[in-house]
Amino acid sequence: MQILSFPEAATPADLRVQVREIQEQAWPSEFGPDAPVDTPTHDPALRPLSMLLVDEGTVPAALDILFKEIVHAGRCFSAGGLSTVVTSKQARGRGYGRQLVTAARERMIAQSLDLGLFTCDRPLQAFYESAGWRVLPGAVLIGGTPQAPFPSDQPGFDKVTMSDFFSAAGRQAQASFHHSRIELYPGEIDKLW
């Protein structure tokens, strides 16, 4: 079992096909697994990095890390977030997702980001906490664009914001993120990462 990382657009086609198949298990799309392999899942401006758990050529779990500079409380921070975290149905319950989410957190630290933050469905909070992430108390991510905001606290959503503060600047500003509305604005493709 190994973890491989590629810029999303450079992920080998055979692995990308497998990732699409397990993503379709979790989030069926209008195109299904027949979408062209080279169709990006994410906005290229977010510099998506795909991390795949691979066992003898088979991908049982995958995720993407998205990157963006954000401005919060008048300061600029380099941020990363988890997106499309998925484990194939037949491989669930073996710790593969936790292994990959932990490795993604370590990758963000190695890339000298100030912080990592993302939303997850409330029932997944304990899973992410077991991989080193923490709930950001009272925080709401504002996705979409400034013209078409997409907040994580909109009606019908039951999301929590997960985070970690990696750099000295990030840790120093951590309290300013508590109970705040964080203007992420990743765009129209990745409304919330």
Side-chain angles (χ1 to χ4, degrees):
M1 196 78 66
Q2 60 182 332
I3 295 174
L4 302 179
S5 299
F6 308 94
E8 181 186 38
T11 302
D14 61 322
L15 299 177
R16 189 75 205 134
V17 166
Q18 292 182 61
V19 170
R20 293 249 179 196
E21 288 172 356
I22 60 177
Q23 288 174 341
E24 283 293 324
Q25 289 176 2
W27 313 288
S29 72
E30 64 180 282
F31 304 109
D34 299 326
V37 174
D38 58 350
T39 302
T41 303
H42 303 288
D43 185 335
L46 299 174
R47 304 182 320 272
L49 178 72
S50 296
M51 294 185 71
L52 318 176
L53 193 63
V54 181
D55 183 20
E56 297 180 8
T58 300
V59 179
L63 62 76
D64 295 311
I65 304 174
L66 305 179
F67 302 92
K68 188 174 189 300
E69 299 292 317
I70 64 169
V71 175
H72 182 75
R75 296 183 59 200
C76 187
F77 299 95
S78 58
L82 299 183
S83 184
T84 58
V85 177
V86 67
T87 301
S88 69
K89 287 181 181 178
Q90 58 271 30
R92 290 183 186 155
R94 299 181 191 169
Y96 296 154
R98 182 174 298 104
Q99 181 181 349
L100 202 53
V101 168
T102 300
R105 183 178 163 277
E106 291 166 3
R107 180 69 179 254
M108 288 186 207
I109 293 168
Q111 293 209 203
S112 301
L113 296 181
D114 293 314
L115 67 142
L117 72 161
F118 59 95
T119 60
C120 70
D121 294 334
R122 192 170 304 279
L124 295 173
Q125 175 182 332
F127 164 75
Y128 287 106
E129 288 175 329
S130 74
W133 296 94
R134 293 179 224 122
V135 169
L136 190 55
V140 173
L141 290 187
I142 309 297
T145 65
Q147 299 76 28
F150 191 82
S152 64
D153 66 346
Q154 63 188 287
F157 272 27
D158 188 21
K159 303 278 187 190
V160 293
T161 301
M162 305 300 293
S163 67
D164 201 356
F165 294 83
F166 307 128
S167 71
R171 287 188 298 275
Q172 184 180 31
Q174 182 173 348
S176 73
F177 285 87
H178 292 206
H179 304 284
S180 69
R181 297 181 77 76
I182 303 164
E183 296 177 346
L184 181 62
Y185 297 135
E188 288 296 327
I189 296 172
D190 297 281
K191 291 189 178 190
L192 280 176
W193 67 27

